[in-house]
Amino acid sequence: MLLGPLFFLSYGQVNTFTATRDDVASLVFAWERSIPFVPWTIVPYWSIDVLYGISLFICTSRQELMRHGYRLLAASLVACAAFLLFPLKFTFTRPETQGAFGWLFRQLEQFDLPYNQAPSLHIILTWLLWLRFRQHLNSNARIVAGGWFLLIAVSVLTTWQHHVIDVISGIVVAVIISYLIPIRGEWRWQRPTWHARRLAGKYCLGGMLFLMAGAAIPSGYLLLWPAVALLSVAAGYAGLGVTVFQKSNHGNLSLSARLLLLPYLIGAKISRCWFSRHTAQCNEIAAGVSLGRFPDKAQQDLAVFDLTAELHKGNRNAQSWQAYPLMDLLVPDIEHLRTSVRQLQQLHRESDKVLVCCALGLSRSATVIAAWLLAEGHATSVAQAVELIHSRRPQIVLTPAHIEILEAFSKEQLCQTS
């Protein structure tokens, strides 16, 4: 009741208003004139209206429906604001088309003038709708749906409705909207520690350097991507925590987070590969529980307890995969330590062999295993737990801050047993 009328009113009014302006420019690459006009692609182009309506009825929870609605609302508002602030005009003259396809083009022309261009609202909606459909389809149906949505995206060019810059800007806006309005999870903020603020400052500095370089270098727009990625990670250390990675309990980062943070994620993967050259994949510590780095391949013979926030499980198979994301280079607080130990205990009851991993298997995972050793009685003191882990995996890095939080956890365990 809200989205339909809002879409047609805002889109139509902005289009009509822009048609009266005399300051409307155009931005076209010379090679775009070689893009063919394909009349039949008006069918997939029009189909987005049907899929838009259906998408509101496939959501299986109130939260999913509301978040999806917020995304669609944001898409209309952001696109229309851009049309007003940065008006562009489509410059090609579409050939006359007869038959059913011609009728569809004439219907489109009745309410769509060539002034609502960048970012392409059609592209933004295509991305947002595909995210919802792929969530509720099996693998085969997902491939078919993905092909159709790709055809919709291409159709904005082959129907001569949009220029390439509209498509590029539409994809960027779509990913940002889907990232800022996640379907699952909540944005949470908590007061960062001094060390976290220091790391936030470093990432923020890196992001600002990329931002300035992108502004200073001709055609340096691609540098804005790593700038946004680093500034997003900086926001995580500044208080948003692991929510910036949007990692599920099953170990997967959201597709929007993977795209937006891709430059950082590539850097994190390169760093993991470089610093893990001289360390074993994993080492057994006690009772079938091993400590190691993030698996490079399938681990079908054991369960995985994943403590990384920044690494994506992808198609790595395991007997069981459970994620409890913790920020890299930070000491987990006592509440996170309690929760991670409880989850490890539950996972160990379900599987005889468990791999506890972080990026390198040196700090986050070592801290959790040390606490688990204390909780399970495999060690009677923090020093004994650390010594046991060090004897099996000598490369571990536990700072005085790690030892301090483990001592606090040990005191809690003693109070509970007494």
Side-chain angles (χ1 to χ4, degrees):
M1 292 176 66
L2 169 68
L3 291 172
L6 176 68
F7 167 75
F8 285 106
L9 286 173
S10 59
Y11 189 84
Q13 290 299 317
V14 169
N15 215 345
T16 303
F17 172 74
T18 306
T20 65
R21 299 172 63 171
D22 56 5
D23 60 343
V24 181
S26 61
L27 183 54
V28 190
F29 299 106
W31 52 266
E32 286 187 54
R33 298 190 177 279
S34 62
I35 297 175
F37 174 69
V38 185
W40 66 264
T41 55
I42 189 64
V43 176
Y45 185 91
W46 263 108
S47 69
I48 198 172
D49 295 306
V50 177
L51 295 172
Y52 186 106
I54 294 175
S55 72
L56 298 170
F57 294 92
I58 62 174
C59 299
T60 55
S61 70
R62 182 179 180 85
Q63 175 170 305
E64 182 185 10
L65 176 61
M66 294 302 294
R67 297 286 178 83
H68 179 52
Y70 292 151
R71 285 178 171 183
L72 297 177
L73 178 62
S76 293
L77 296 179
V78 171
C80 288
F83 299 154
L84 290 172
L85 295 173
F86 314 104
L88 292 174
K89 180 181 179 180
F90 187 79
T91 58
F92 297 172
T93 301
R94 187 185 298 126
E96 185 68 27
T97 307
Q98 303 299 324
F101 301 145
W103 182 83
L104 288 173
F105 275 108
R106 288 191 292 275
Q107 299 307 307
L108 181 63
E109 291 167 356
Q110 289 185 9
F111 72 92
D112 193 22
L113 299 173
Y115 297 98
N116 292 347
Q117 295 298 301
S120 167
L121 183 55
H122 218 82
I123 291 294
I124 300 174
L125 295 178
T126 298
W127 172 261
L128 298 180
L129 297 180
W130 178 64
L131 289 179
R132 291 283 39 81
F133 279 91
R134 72 187 291 267
Q135 184 69 35
H136 299 284
L137 297 174
N138 60 34
S139 56
N140 292 330
R142 190 177 296 175
I143 293 173
V144 174
W148 186 260
F149 277 105
L150 180 60
L151 192 57
I152 293 174
V154 172
S155 72
V156 305
L157 298 174
T158 56
T159 55
W160 286 12
Q161 280 289 114
H162 283 279
H163 290 305
V164 171
I165 190 63
D166 311 337
V167 175
I168 295 173
S169 57
I171 293 172
V172 171
V173 170
V175 171
I176 292 174
I177 288 175
S178 58
Y179 176 76
L180 292 178
I181 308 177
I183 296 297
R184 293 184 175 87
E186 303 283 348
W187 290 104
R188 297 186 302 272
W189 185 88
Q190 61 181 17
R191 185 180 297 276
T193 63
W194 175 85
H195 185 54
R197 291 197 296 270
R198 188 173 173 220
L199 289 170
K202 290 182 178 180
Y203 278 108
C204 186
L205 177 61
M208 293 304 295
L209 289 175
F210 274 107
L211 196 63
M212 290 186 291
I217 298 174
S219 302
Y221 303 114
L222 278 179
L223 294 179
L224 299 180
W225 195 356
V228 170
L230 291 176
L231 290 173
S232 299
V233 176
Y237 283 106
L240 289 179
V242 297
T243 57
V244 297
F245 296 102
Q246 299 183 357
K247 187 166 183 173
S248 72
N249 294 334
H250 302 295
N252 292 320
L253 279 66
S254 75
L255 181 56
S256 303
R258 276 180 275 157
L259 289 175
L260 190 72
L261 305 177
L262 184 60
Y264 167 81
L265 298 177
I266 292 174
K269 185 174 182 179
I270 294 173
S271 173
R272 178 174 65 89
C273 293
W274 176 261
F275 287 106
S276 63
R277 290 171 299 150
H278 305 300
T279 59
Q281 171 63 60
C282 62
N283 303 95
E284 185 173 347
I285 305 301
V289 174
S290 299
L291 168 64
R293 65 176 185 262
F294 195 80
D296 295 316
K297 56 183 179 180
Q299 301 285 329
Q300 297 181 358
D301 59 335
L302 47 73
V304 175
F305 189 42
D306 172 15
L307 297 172
T308 65
E310 70 279 12
L311 298 179
H312 177 63
K313 171 191 170 186
N315 58 2
R316 294 174 178 83
N317 293 319
Q319 187 183 98
S320 174
W321 192 295
Q322 186 170 334
Y324 186 75
L326 297 173
M327 291 294 285
D328 189 22
L329 302 176
L330 293 184
V331 178
D333 61 29
I334 191 69
E335 181 58 36
H336 284 150
L337 203 54
R338 290 192 211 105
T339 305
S340 58
V341 168
R342 284 197 300 268
Q343 292 191 11
L344 175 55
Q345 290 172 324
Q346 178 62 34
L347 191 60
H348 192 223
R349 283 192 289 268
E350 298 170 357
S351 177
D352 294 334
K353 295 182 179 181
V354 179
L355 168 63
V356 182
C357 67
C358 56
L360 301 175
L362 302 180
S363 292
R364 284 173 284 185
S365 49
T367 306
V368 170
I369 283 191
W372 173 80
L373 290 172
L374 294 167
E376 291 291 299
H378 295 296
T380 57
S381 67
V382 172
Q384 186 179 11
V386 173
E387 183 180 356
L388 174 58
I389 298 172
H390 189 268
S391 67
R392 307 293 171 84
R393 194 171 178 85
Q395 300 89 353
I396 64 168
V397 179
L398 295 177
T399 66
H402 289 96
I403 302 301
E404 183 180 349
I405 200 70
L406 285 171
E407 291 287 1
F409 181 83
S410 178
K411 289 179 181 178
E412 278 194 357
Q413 296 300 304
L414 290 173
C415 292
Q416 291 176 7
T417 55
S418 61

